[in-house]
Amino acid sequence: MVQPRYYRAIWISDFHLGTRASKAGSLLDFLRHHVAETLYLVGDIVDGWNWGPAWHWSPVQQELVNEIVHWRRRGANVVFLPGNHDEFRVSLVEELFGPIPSTSSLIHTTADGARMLVTHGHQFDGSLNPNRLLPIIGSYAYGRAQRIHDWYHRQSGQEGDEGRSFSDYFRYPARKAVEFLTDFRDRAVLAAARDHKADGVICGHIHRSDHRLIGTILYVNDGDWVQNRTAVVEEQDGTLQVIRWSGLHQNISVSEPMSDGVAS
């Protein structure tokens, strides 16, 4: 039996439970092979935009919920930071996972003393307010795509990577347009870090894992569990890494060390 790998903290986001696109099985496998003192659920845990006739709940999604509840029961500190897809469904998240701590942002101090601002990331979007315009546009297009997906894959109920789904092709132009409208502005990330006197930012939201410096601020994105199966982890020495999970053969990208000139 393979022993789980131990980390000081793990950040995961954007698994969009309640949709067929969620790679809940992969995330369940990841969590069963890892242990951490703190597990941050960095938003878009459930897809509130998909609430209604298109809502999809599978046994493996329930298993994933049960696994996270198990983490809490064995002593892990599990913290929920709502995203734009679930900030109006916090009660549903609490119904699924129990009364877990919930906050829009917080400061995580790494083992080597770096202050990292943790938040979902929709706060860094451009001038369009994603809590008004984009949920309306997104939920409509998303619901249509899900119905086409259900029709096209009715005979297949398994997760996997056997090529892109039909709805992936349908959604691609709309997804690229939304990415353009919501892509982070470095200035917003930099300003938020400075406002909180943070050395860096850890977030999700855009479904693209990343780690880089914005000036002297370390920006780390944990990606998603819809397309990329990525998470951010902290080693015992404070090193931050991005993990892309493909079973036990995970790919790890180690973050650059914090420089002496990082803002305090």
Side-chain angles (χ1 to χ4, degrees), residues 122-130 180-185:
H122 60 296
Q123 299 88 343
F124 306 137
D125 284 341
S127 58
L128 286 176
N129 187 338
F180 175 77
L181 292 172
T182 63
D183 206 4
F184 289 168
R185 296 181 176 182

Side-chain angles (χ1 to χ4, degrees), residues 236-251:
Q236 293 305 304
D237 63 359
T239 301
L240 296 174
Q241 302 175 334
V242 176
I243 290 180
R244 185 179 303 276
W245 183 249
S246 55
L248 294 177
H249 304 290
Q250 64 188 28
N251 297 317

Side-chain angles (χ1 to χ4, degrees), residues 15-24 45-51 54-58 61 85 142 146 149-150 159 171 225-226:
F15 31 109
H16 292 268
L17 296 177
T19 73
R20 294 182 181 274
S22 176
K23 297 297 186 292
I45 306 310
V46 299
D47 196 323
W49 292 7
N50 201 49
W51 185 259
W55 183 260
H56 171 77
W57 194 258
S58 66
Q61 292 188 38
H85 280 255
Y142 198 69
Q146 286 296 329
H149 181 284
D150 294 349
E159 286 187 356
R171 282 200 299 261
W225 291 85
V226 171

Side-chain angles (χ1 to χ4, degrees), residues 75-137:
N77 180 29
V78 180
V79 182
F80 170 53
L81 298 98
N84 52 316
H85 280 255
D86 54 17
E87 62 186 348
F88 298 113
R89 295 287 179 183
V90 172
S91 60
L92 175 58
V93 174
E94 292 178 343
E95 182 179 339
L96 291 170
F97 297 100
I100 61 176
S102 174
T103 181
S104 61
S105 64
L106 57 83
I107 294 292
H108 171 89
T109 303
T110 64
D112 57 357
R115 287 169 50 85
M116 302 298 295
L117 172 64
V118 183
T119 193
H120 176 62
H122 60 296
Q123 299 88 343
F124 306 137
D125 284 341
S127 58
L128 286 176
N129 187 338
N131 297 320
R132 288 184 293 178
L133 179 61
L134 291 178
I136 296 172
I137 298 174

Side-chain angles (χ1 to χ4, degrees), residues 173-189:
R175 180 167 60 83
K176 295 304 290 183
V178 170
E179 283 181 3
F180 175 77
L181 292 172
T182 63
D183 206 4
F184 289 168
R185 296 181 176 182
D186 287 359
R187 287 176 297 179
V189 175

Side-chain angles (χ1 to χ4, degrees), residues 185-227:
R185 296 181 176 182
D186 287 359
R187 287 176 297 179
V189 175
L190 189 62
R194 288 177 172 170
D195 287 346
H196 289 82
K197 296 181 171 57
D199 300 309
V201 173
I202 301 175
C203 59
H205 181 51
I206 60 173
H207 293 209
R208 292 197 304 276
S209 62
D210 197 2
H211 94 74
R212 58 188 168 90
L213 286 174
I214 302 176
T216 58
I217 298 300
L218 179 62
Y219 164 67
V220 186
N221 195 296
D222 64 22
D224 74 295
W225 291 85
V226 171
Q227 298 160 324

